[in-house]
Amino acid sequence: MVLLVDDYDAALIQNQEYSEENMQQFLSECRNLAVHLEPKRNISIIVTSKKRLNDLGPRLNPNASPWYNHYLFRQIKPFDNTEIEQFLQPFLQPFNKPITTELQQAIGEIAGGHPSLLQIASFLLYQELRNTTSPQVEEFVREFESSTRYFFDNTWQRCNIQDQNLLMLMALAKLRGRLERRRYDLKDVDLIFTQNERNLTKLEEQGVIKRTPNNGNIAYLFIYLLHH
């Protein structure tokens, strides 16, 4: 039996009805199920989380093994262009209406290969193809922005102050230091990114940013929001 627990990080946040003691008990019972009890030979537990488990959860007991050390971490990477095309194909099959290359490219850019965003984009595409002859890129992007605002609000709230500052620097770098009538001096921005390599790696693992080669340097992009 395979037990799949999605959004496992939700069980690592305290609230008024869920204390740290409750959390410790839950994690201990999960560990017992996976490691100590006899059924472990017949069960595999897979959990998904928006952050590494060692960055979450209750305080560790220095006299005991970390509660998460029986998990093997695997990063789920964004879809590449081939996978995006394969993902969208089932939504296109019911219609004899080919979408333009421009729209295909726009979907890849605005979703950034993120499975959740691609799922939203594919639903909107299905709706457009069912109701119109040919979806228009600008209208599609506006609808996508409206439908995914909650997703990016949640992503922003999950980031700490340091991560939020890095993301704002990326946005300013994308705008070449100009925001409305103000200009910002970004001459040391590459040094700041270098000094925060660990934070950037975590943001990339969470699917918030992506790093791409750029003339011998590394370009940092805040997925989707920096494209528009």
Side-chain angles (χ1 to χ4, degrees):
M1 182 176 72
V2 177
L3 175 61
L4 175 60
V5 185
D6 200 9
D7 293 329
Y8 194 67
D9 44 311
L12 304 174
I13 302 174
Q14 296 182 52
N15 58 50
Q16 292 181 346
E17 299 179 356
Y18 183 63
S19 66
E20 182 171 341
E21 289 74 17
N22 297 142
M23 187 188 307
Q24 291 279 15
Q25 182 180 0
F26 172 78
L27 295 175
S28 176
E29 291 176 353
C30 286
R31 183 183 177 89
N32 287 337
L33 181 63
V35 177
H36 297 303
L37 299 183
E38 185 61 28
K40 69 180 181 180
R41 299 177 180 177
N42 302 314
I43 186 172
S44 294
I45 301 177
I46 301 173
V47 304
T48 66
S49 173
K50 297 179 178 65
K51 293 184 178 181
R52 285 178 180 257
L53 296 181
N54 59 296
D55 293 330
L56 301 169
R59 293 167 294 179
L60 298 180
N61 183 348
N63 299 317
S65 299
W67 60 268
Y68 51 77
N69 69 349
H70 60 288
Y71 291 104
L72 177 64
F73 175 77
R74 286 288 184 267
Q75 179 185 354
I76 300 178
K77 297 182 179 180
F79 289 171
D80 58 28
N81 291 335
T82 300
E83 291 169 328
I84 292 175
E85 185 175 347
Q86 292 174 346
F87 184 88
L88 293 176
Q89 196 59 39
F91 296 90
L92 303 178
Q93 286 178 348
F95 308 98
N96 189 22
K97 302 174 183 176
I99 64 174
T100 64
T101 302
E102 184 184 13
L103 181 57
Q104 286 182 328
Q105 190 174 27
I107 292 173
E109 288 183 353
I110 63 179
H114 194 292
S116 295
L117 297 180
L118 279 172
Q119 189 172 21
I120 296 172
S122 60
F123 173 76
L124 294 176
L125 178 62
Y126 180 88
Q127 293 288 90
E128 289 289 330
L129 290 172
R130 187 177 65 175
N131 298 326
T132 65
T133 56
S134 180
Q136 300 300 311
V137 174
E138 292 185 0
E139 181 179 347
F140 184 88
V141 170
R142 283 196 299 270
E143 184 67 24
F144 183 85
E145 288 178 340
S146 175
S147 300
T148 56
R149 185 172 299 278
Y150 76 94
F151 178 91
F152 293 103
D153 286 343
N154 291 339
T155 299
W156 181 259
Q157 294 301 324
R158 287 201 313 269
C159 295
N160 58 35
I161 295 298
Q162 189 174 13
D163 292 340
Q164 290 177 353
N165 287 336
L166 289 171
L167 294 174
M168 286 189 287
L169 283 175
M170 291 178 201
L172 286 173
K174 182 71 174 180
L175 297 171
R176 302 184 183 276
R178 181 188 294 274
L179 181 61
E180 295 181 349
R181 297 182 179 181
R182 299 182 179 181
R183 291 193 60 86
Y184 296 85
D185 183 1
L186 300 178
K187 63 181 179 181
D188 294 326
V189 67
D190 290 335
L191 177 60
I192 294 174
F193 290 152
T194 301
Q195 293 172 340
N196 289 273
E197 179 70 22
R198 185 176 179 181
N199 294 70
L200 294 172
T201 298
K202 290 182 178 179
L203 289 171
E204 187 173 28
E205 289 177 351
Q206 296 167 32
V208 180
I209 68 170
K210 63 180 178 180
R211 292 186 274 191
T212 58
N214 182 26
N215 297 326
N217 298 317
I218 299 296
Y220 299 91
L221 294 177
F222 187 7
I223 290 179
Y224 172 68
L225 291 187
L226 285 187
H227 288 293
H228 303 279

